[in-house]
Amino acid sequence: MKNLSIHKMIATVVICGVSFLSVSAMAAQDEFQRQMTQQVMKAKQKLKEAEAAKGAERNKLMGEHMKMMHDNMGKMQAMKPKSGMTMQEHEEWISEHQKLMDEMMSQMMKEHHMMMGMDGMSKGSAEMDCMPKASDDAHKH
């Protein structure tokens, strides 16, 4: 059940990240983005606490982190750009938005690895486990 939930959340982040690339934007980092950055950093701290905890306390903290991420995702999806922006402001806003989305994705992947028991693995090998394996004959017919 938790596996399905985290996979849905990860898929949502990816879809949102891609969809926001085509949206008009506000300015570099507006007030809403600053607030979101603070909330995402609070969630990151919660995840660090969960990583250090054991047993029931760890599960409780991970549940709190999941809820924070779910709430943050809803807020990110509700973001609307200001009208009348220059192309430069638009590009800066998208860049800031992408940074937030990247941070959220990073946290969700770390949470996923913790849930799957991969938090003891080196960072590189844990990331590799989530990537599709290349095959020499992938494109052969």
Side-chain angles (χ1 to χ4, degrees):
M1 179 72 178
K2 285 185 180 181
N3 246 356
L4 183 59
S5 182
I6 193 73
H7 289 287
K8 283 183 180 178
M9 195 178 293
I10 291 169
T12 302
V13 169
V14 171
I15 291 168
C16 290
V18 170
S19 68
F20 278 117
L21 289 176
S22 63
V23 174
S24 302
M26 288 184 218
Q29 193 176 47
D30 61 18
E31 183 59 29
F32 187 74
Q33 285 176 320
R34 280 188 288 280
Q35 290 172 2
M36 284 303 304
T37 298
Q38 290 174 349
Q39 291 174 1
V40 169
M41 291 302 110
K42 285 179 186 176
K44 186 175 186 174
Q45 181 58 40
K46 184 69 69 176
L47 188 59
K48 285 181 182 181
E49 291 172 21
E51 190 173 22
K54 301 275 187 232
E57 180 65 14
R58 182 178 188 156
N59 291 340
K60 176 184 161 269
L61 291 169
M62 286 182 69
E64 290 173 14
H65 179 262
M66 265 191 234
K67 173 148 181 25
M68 293 170 85
M69 295 305 288
H70 178 75
D71 293 346
N72 289 343
M73 184 54 63
K75 291 174 184 174
M76 292 290 287
Q77 290 172 334
M79 289 179 81
K80 298 292 182 230
K82 236 181 347 185
S83 61
M85 297 180 75
T86 66
M87 183 56 78
Q88 179 65 33
E89 290 170 330
H90 177 240
E91 289 174 3
E92 289 171 0
W93 187 88
I94 286 177
S95 176
E96 292 301 320
H97 186 80
Q98 190 63 46
K99 287 176 190 175
L100 281 168
M101 294 301 293
D102 289 346
E103 177 59 35
M104 290 179 68
M105 177 61 92
S106 174
Q107 287 184 40
M108 285 191 275
M109 291 304 297
K110 183 170 184 131
E111 182 179 82
H112 174 72
H113 290 156
M114 288 170 65
M115 289 173 57
M116 306 280 50
M118 297 187 316
D119 55 318
M121 298 175 81
S122 70
K123 183 177 179 182
S125 64
E127 288 176 350
M128 292 302 290
D129 288 344
C130 293
M131 299 177 134
K133 304 281 189 249
S135 172
D136 290 340
D137 61 351
H139 296 288
K140 292 181 182 174
H141 297 278

